[in-house]
Amino acid sequence: MGRARSGGRGQGGGAEAVTENVDGGLARLVPDRDRARAWTLLIDGAPQSHVDLDDPSYLSFEYQRRFGHVVDLAAPPGKPLRAVHLGGGAFTLARYVAATRPRSTQQVVERDAALVHLVRRELPLDARARIRVRSADARDGLAKVPDGWAGLVVADVFGGARTPAHLTSTEFLDEVRRALAPGGVYAANLADGPPLTHLRGQIATAAARFGELALIADAAVLRGRRFGNAVLVASDAPLPIAELTRRAASDPHPGRVQHGRELLDFTGGATPVTDLAAVASPAPPASVFR
């Protein structure tokens, strides 16, 4: 199937949905019926990103709001950041950084070149934003980032709704650490469900490479009651735990923050994952997207 448009429910001139084949599957941009120039990106029916072109500081998805908290606390308010985004989607978080921290310099690494073309065409970036988009594998693109360049590295990479295995290992995190400036912050979107084997292993892996960790997630996910997203935050500098906790608790869908001994105990004895043992994250059950 090629590019197609169908009637949408968006405001402001009767926006239409856009459907197009990309490298990762069938992409669909659906207008938001409540916000005039806002869109949701889906790949093979799985929601990937939400963007409001009129207000890039608006974050609709739960996990993106949690990423937003990390961005807000990564440096003093308004101070520009050097950020690397592994996984582009609709460039939601890069747009957020540009809107809330003007003059930030950002690199987005997105393997799906056809998706990049679709998003650039239908949801163009602000020409004033210093956002460079590179079509490459996330780990290969990260390898091209100069040593110590980034104040923030964000990993939000999914292929077929699963994080690729080579982005789950200690060797991958060695590349993240190399690219981070001293005191820089790493944040990753992790998806898992009961019995949380993948999530526990990812925390153990991050603990082997970073001195400070925090995990933000819905309590039901942390208790292994349902499949969902968790945002892992890591650094070698102290993390703003109290403020992260306050912000996560005040979200429309409140989240919990685990850190310190509580988070290490959560791993349940899981061991760090290496390239040789790495596997992709588990596929979400079909019911997640219904």
Side-chain angles (χ1 to χ4, degrees), residues 175-268:
E175 274 297 300
V176 172
R177 283 181 57 89
R178 180 198 59 76
L180 279 173
V185 177
Y186 170 64
N189 181 21
L190 308 176
D192 200 8
L196 300 179
T197 303
H198 174 73
L199 184 57
R200 298 182 201 279
Q202 287 304 285
I203 296 166
T205 303
R209 291 298 184 267
F210 289 95
E212 300 288 336
L213 300 179
L215 188 71
I216 314 170
D218 183 274
V221 173
L222 292 174
R223 292 171 184 153
R225 293 180 179 174
R226 69 171 179 86
F227 193 98
N229 296 87
V231 170
L232 175 66
V233 190
S235 180
D236 282 330
L239 294 169
I241 299 298
E243 186 61 17
L244 275 175
T245 300
R246 186 190 70 79
R247 291 179 181 230
S250 64
D251 277 340
H253 300 282
R256 282 190 56 198
V257 175
Q258 286 193 345
H259 65 99
R261 174 51 56 185
E262 180 186 28
L263 184 55
L264 293 180
D265 288 347
F266 176 80
T267 65

Side-chain angles (χ1 to χ4, degrees), residues 81-85 94 97 104-108 149-154:
L81 277 176
R82 287 181 173 178
V84 177
H85 304 267
V97 172
S104 291
T105 304
Q106 303 184 75
Q107 298 185 35
V108 176
W149 183 86
L152 174 69
V153 174
V154 176

Side-chain angles (χ1 to χ4, degrees), residues 74-188:
K79 182 179 179 180
L81 277 176
R82 287 181 173 178
V84 177
H85 304 267
L86 305 177
F91 316 145
T92 303
L93 199 65
R95 298 175 199 263
Y96 180 84
V97 172
T100 60
R101 296 182 178 276
R103 302 182 306 283
S104 291
T105 304
Q106 303 184 75
Q107 298 185 35
V108 176
V109 183
E110 170 55 61
R111 182 172 187 170
D112 195 327
L115 176 62
V116 169
H117 179 74
L118 170 66
V119 172
R120 279 188 174 278
R121 185 187 70 226
E122 300 292 337
L123 309 176
L125 289 164
D126 187 331
R128 297 165 295 179
R130 301 176 182 179
I131 301 173
R132 177 186 179 187
V133 183
R134 174 183 293 141
S135 296
D137 172 79
R139 194 154 155 181
D140 291 343
L142 181 62
K144 292 181 169 62
V145 176
D147 293 1
W149 183 86
L152 174 69
V153 174
V154 176
D156 187 15
V157 183
F158 288 87
R162 304 177 71 185
T163 301
H166 69 298
L167 305 181
T168 68
S169 67
T170 52
E171 290 89 344
F172 166 67
L173 291 186
D174 286 337
E175 274 297 300
V176 172
R177 283 181 57 89
R178 180 198 59 76
L180 279 173
V185 177
Y186 170 64

Side-chain angles (χ1 to χ4, degrees), residues 28 40-50 61 63-64 156 158 161 189 229 288-290:
R28 185 171 172 82
T40 298
L41 168 67
L42 302 95
I43 304 291
D44 288 339
Q48 302 289 322
S49 303
H50 180 279
F61 288 4
Y63 84 90
Q64 290 179 335
D156 187 15
F158 288 87
N189 181 21
N229 296 87
V288 169
F289 304 124
R290 289 176 185 166

